[in-house]
Amino acid sequence: MKQRLGIAVSLINNPELLILDEPINGLDPLGVKEIRILLKKLCEERHITVLISSHNLPELYQVATDYIIIHDGEIKQTLTLGELENKCQRHILIECEKPEDLLVILENDLGTTNYKLMPDKTIKLYDYVDDKKKVATTIFENGIITTNFSVEGDTLENYFISVIGGEKND
Protein backbone atom coordinates (compact mmCIF):
# COMPACT_ATOMS: atom_id res chain seq x y z
CA MET A 1 0.00 0.00 0.00
CA LYS A 2 2.90 2.38 0.67
CA GLN A 3 4.07 2.14 -2.94
CA ARG A 4 0.59 2.86 -4.30
CA LEU A 5 0.05 5.69 -1.82
CA GLY A 6 3.39 7.26 -2.72
CA ILE A 7 2.52 7.27 -6.41
CA ALA A 8 -0.97 8.64 -5.72
CA VAL A 9 0.40 11.50 -3.59
CA SER A 10 2.96 12.39 -6.26
CA LEU A 11 0.19 12.65 -8.87
CA ILE A 12 -1.90 15.20 -6.93
CA ASN A 13 -0.30 18.24 -8.59
CA ASN A 14 -0.53 16.74 -12.11
CA PRO A 15 3.24 16.62 -12.79
CA GLU A 16 4.84 16.45 -16.23
CA LEU A 17 7.67 14.34 -14.81
CA LEU A 18 7.31 11.55 -12.26
CA ILE A 19 10.47 10.09 -10.73
CA LEU A 20 10.12 6.70 -9.04
CA ASP A 21 12.73 4.69 -7.17
CA GLU A 22 12.05 0.92 -7.21
CA PRO A 23 8.25 1.38 -7.55
CA ILE A 24 7.45 -2.35 -7.47
CA ASN A 25 9.76 -3.26 -4.60
CA GLY A 26 7.92 -5.46 -2.12
CA LEU A 27 4.75 -5.84 -4.20
CA ASP A 28 3.02 -9.12 -4.89
CA PRO A 29 2.61 -10.21 -8.54
CA LEU A 30 -0.86 -8.64 -8.80
CA GLY A 31 0.44 -5.36 -7.38
CA VAL A 32 3.36 -5.39 -9.82
CA LYS A 33 0.95 -5.82 -12.73
CA GLU A 34 -1.30 -3.02 -11.45
CA ILE A 35 1.64 -0.61 -11.13
CA ARG A 36 2.86 -1.56 -14.62
CA ILE A 37 -0.59 -0.82 -16.09
CA LEU A 38 -0.82 2.45 -14.14
CA LEU A 39 2.57 3.66 -15.35
CA LYS A 40 1.71 2.90 -18.96
CA LYS A 41 -1.61 4.77 -18.63
CA LEU A 42 0.11 7.79 -17.08
CA CYS A 43 2.43 7.98 -20.07
CA GLU A 44 -0.17 7.35 -22.75
CA GLU A 45 -3.23 9.15 -21.40
CA ARG A 46 -1.83 11.93 -19.22
CA HIS A 47 1.43 12.38 -21.17
CA ILE A 48 3.52 12.16 -18.03
CA THR A 49 7.18 11.25 -18.43
CA VAL A 50 8.05 8.58 -15.88
CA LEU A 51 11.67 8.10 -14.84
CA ILE A 52 12.15 4.80 -13.01
CA SER A 53 15.25 3.87 -11.08
CA SER A 54 15.34 0.10 -10.62
CA HIS A 55 17.50 -2.98 -10.58
CA ASN A 56 14.59 -5.19 -11.69
CA LEU A 57 15.65 -5.51 -15.33
CA PRO A 58 12.91 -7.90 -16.50
CA GLU A 59 10.24 -5.59 -15.12
CA LEU A 60 11.81 -2.50 -16.67
CA TYR A 61 11.87 -4.34 -19.98
CA GLN A 62 8.06 -4.61 -19.81
CA VAL A 63 7.40 -0.91 -19.24
CA ALA A 64 10.32 1.25 -20.37
CA THR A 65 10.79 2.74 -23.83
CA ASP A 66 14.21 4.28 -23.21
CA TYR A 67 17.06 3.20 -20.94
CA ILE A 68 19.95 4.92 -19.20
CA ILE A 69 22.49 2.55 -17.68
CA ILE A 70 24.27 4.23 -14.79
CA HIS A 71 27.11 2.77 -12.74
CA ASP A 72 28.97 4.50 -9.91
CA GLY A 73 27.18 7.75 -10.75
CA GLU A 74 28.35 7.72 -14.37
CA ILE A 75 26.12 7.28 -17.41
CA LYS A 76 27.52 4.25 -19.21
CA GLN A 77 24.97 4.01 -22.02
CA THR A 78 21.65 5.34 -23.27
CA LEU A 79 19.51 3.32 -25.65
CA THR A 80 15.97 2.78 -26.85
CA LEU A 81 13.94 -0.37 -26.36
CA GLY A 82 14.58 -1.32 -29.98
CA GLU A 83 18.33 -0.91 -29.58
CA LEU A 84 18.27 -2.97 -26.39
CA GLU A 85 16.28 -5.73 -28.07
CA ASN A 86 18.72 -5.75 -30.96
CA LYS A 87 21.70 -6.07 -28.64
CA CYS A 88 20.11 -8.84 -26.58
CA GLN A 89 18.48 -10.89 -29.34
CA ARG A 90 20.40 -14.14 -29.79
CA HIS A 91 21.75 -14.76 -33.27
CA ILE A 92 24.54 -16.45 -35.14
CA LEU A 93 27.07 -13.87 -36.29
CA ILE A 94 28.67 -14.96 -39.54
CA GLU A 95 31.54 -13.29 -41.35
CA CYS A 96 32.86 -14.46 -44.70
CA GLU A 97 34.45 -13.12 -47.88
CA LYS A 98 31.28 -13.47 -49.98
CA PRO A 99 28.32 -12.38 -47.83
CA GLU A 100 26.03 -11.95 -50.84
CA ASP A 101 26.58 -15.61 -51.80
CA LEU A 102 25.91 -16.64 -48.22
CA LEU A 103 22.56 -14.82 -48.23
CA VAL A 104 21.48 -16.89 -51.23
CA ILE A 105 22.46 -20.06 -49.36
CA LEU A 106 20.53 -18.99 -46.26
CA GLU A 107 17.41 -18.41 -48.31
CA ASN A 108 17.63 -21.35 -50.71
CA ASP A 109 19.22 -24.10 -48.62
CA LEU A 110 18.06 -23.16 -45.12
CA GLY A 111 14.78 -21.54 -46.16
CA THR A 112 15.15 -18.44 -44.02
CA THR A 113 15.02 -14.71 -44.53
CA ASN A 114 15.28 -14.03 -40.79
CA TYR A 115 18.71 -12.43 -41.02
CA LYS A 116 20.26 -8.99 -41.22
CA LEU A 117 23.20 -7.93 -43.38
CA MET A 118 25.14 -5.44 -41.29
CA PRO A 119 27.05 -2.40 -42.64
CA ASP A 120 30.35 -4.19 -41.93
CA LYS A 121 29.13 -7.06 -44.18
CA THR A 122 28.67 -9.50 -41.28
CA ILE A 123 25.39 -11.38 -41.17
CA LYS A 124 23.19 -11.81 -38.13
CA LEU A 125 21.15 -15.01 -38.52
CA TYR A 126 18.24 -15.14 -36.07
CA ASP A 127 17.06 -18.64 -36.98
CA TYR A 128 18.93 -21.88 -36.22
CA VAL A 129 20.61 -20.49 -33.08
CA ASP A 130 20.04 -23.86 -31.43
CA ASP A 131 21.12 -25.79 -34.54
CA LYS A 132 24.49 -24.23 -35.36
CA LYS A 133 25.78 -27.52 -36.77
CA LYS A 134 23.18 -27.46 -39.55
CA VAL A 135 24.12 -23.90 -40.50
CA ALA A 136 27.86 -24.60 -40.40
CA THR A 137 27.48 -27.78 -42.44
CA THR A 138 25.30 -26.05 -45.06
CA ILE A 139 27.77 -23.18 -45.39
CA PHE A 140 30.72 -25.56 -45.71
CA GLU A 141 28.96 -27.79 -48.26
CA ASN A 142 28.38 -24.72 -50.43
CA GLY A 143 32.07 -23.81 -50.45
CA ILE A 144 31.82 -20.68 -48.28
CA ILE A 145 34.70 -20.17 -45.85
CA THR A 146 33.72 -18.31 -42.69
CA THR A 147 36.11 -16.08 -40.81
CA ASN A 148 33.73 -15.73 -37.85
CA PHE A 149 30.90 -17.97 -36.74
CA SER A 150 29.65 -17.29 -33.22
CA VAL A 151 26.48 -17.05 -31.20
CA GLU A 152 25.92 -13.51 -29.98
CA GLY A 153 23.27 -11.71 -27.95
CA ASP A 154 22.54 -12.14 -24.30
CA THR A 155 20.15 -11.79 -21.40
CA LEU A 156 19.32 -8.32 -20.12
CA GLU A 157 21.28 -9.05 -16.95
CA ASN A 158 24.40 -10.18 -18.81
CA TYR A 159 24.17 -7.23 -21.18
CA PHE A 160 23.89 -4.81 -18.24
CA ILE A 161 26.89 -6.44 -16.56
CA SER A 162 28.96 -6.16 -19.74
CA VAL A 163 28.10 -2.45 -20.07
CA ILE A 164 29.13 -1.59 -16.51
CA GLY A 165 32.42 -3.40 -16.79
CA GLY A 166 31.80 -7.12 -16.40
CA GLU A 167 31.80 -9.62 -13.58
CA LYS A 168 34.53 -7.79 -11.68
CA ASN A 169 31.84 -5.43 -10.38
CA ASP A 170 29.92 -8.14 -8.48
Side-chain angles (χ1 to χ4, degrees):
M1 291 306 282
K2 286 183 180 182
Q3 297 289 60
R4 291 180 184 95
L5 182 60
I7 293 172
V9 167
S10 64
L11 292 172
I12 290 174
N13 291 324
N14 223 10
E16 291 180 25
L17 173 66
L18 180 62
I19 301 173
L20 302 173
D21 184 27
E22 302 286 357
I24 61 165
N25 203 22
L27 296 179
D28 64 346
L30 184 58
V32 170
K33 185 175 180 179
E34 289 172 354
I35 295 297
R36 186 184 320 125
I37 291 168
L38 172 66
L39 294 177
K40 286 181 179 181
K41 279 187 175 183
L42 290 173
C43 292
E44 293 167 5
E45 296 173 9
R46 293 179 58 182
H47 306 289
I48 296 175
T49 300
V50 181
L51 178 66
I52 301 171
S53 172
S54 179
H55 293 92
N56 188 332
L57 300 178
E59 188 59 39
L60 284 176
Y61 184 74
Q62 293 186 55
V63 295
T65 58
D66 295 274
Y67 298 82
I68 303 171
I69 299 175
I70 300 173
H71 182 65
D72 288 338
E74 180 184 336
I75 294 176
K76 296 290 187 176
Q77 191 172 77
T78 62
L79 62 167
T80 66
L81 176 59
E83 291 168 332
L84 180 62
E85 286 175 336
N86 189 40
K87 291 184 183 287
C88 292
Q89 185 176 9
R90 291 188 64 213
H91 59 276
I92 300 172
L93 183 66
I94 308 169
E95 187 174 349
C96 66
E97 290 183 11
K98 300 178 181 178
E100 295 79 14
D101 293 349
L102 179 54
L103 296 179
V104 173
I105 293 165
L106 294 177
E107 291 180 19
N108 293 340
D109 293 16
L110 292 173
T112 183
T113 57
N114 193 11
Y115 60 78
K116 190 180 295 182
L117 178 60
M118 304 307 292
D120 65 358
K121 300 295 184 188
T122 59
I123 297 168
K124 291 183 178 183
L125 175 62
Y126 298 102
D127 289 339
Y128 297 99
V129 175
D130 295 323
D131 196 0
K132 299 177 296 289
K133 184 177 180 180
K134 181 174 184 169
V135 176
T137 301
T138 303
I139 293 171
F140 177 76
E141 288 173 349
N142 281 278
I144 300 288
I145 298 172
T146 61
T147 54
N148 185 16
F149 186 91
S150 58
V151 175
E152 305 283 328
D154 226 327
T155 64
L156 290 172
E157 181 180 81
N158 287 344
Y159 180 72
F160 175 81
I161 289 168
S162 73
V163 170
I164 65 167
E167 297 290 336
K168 66 180 183 262
N169 291 307
D170 283 352

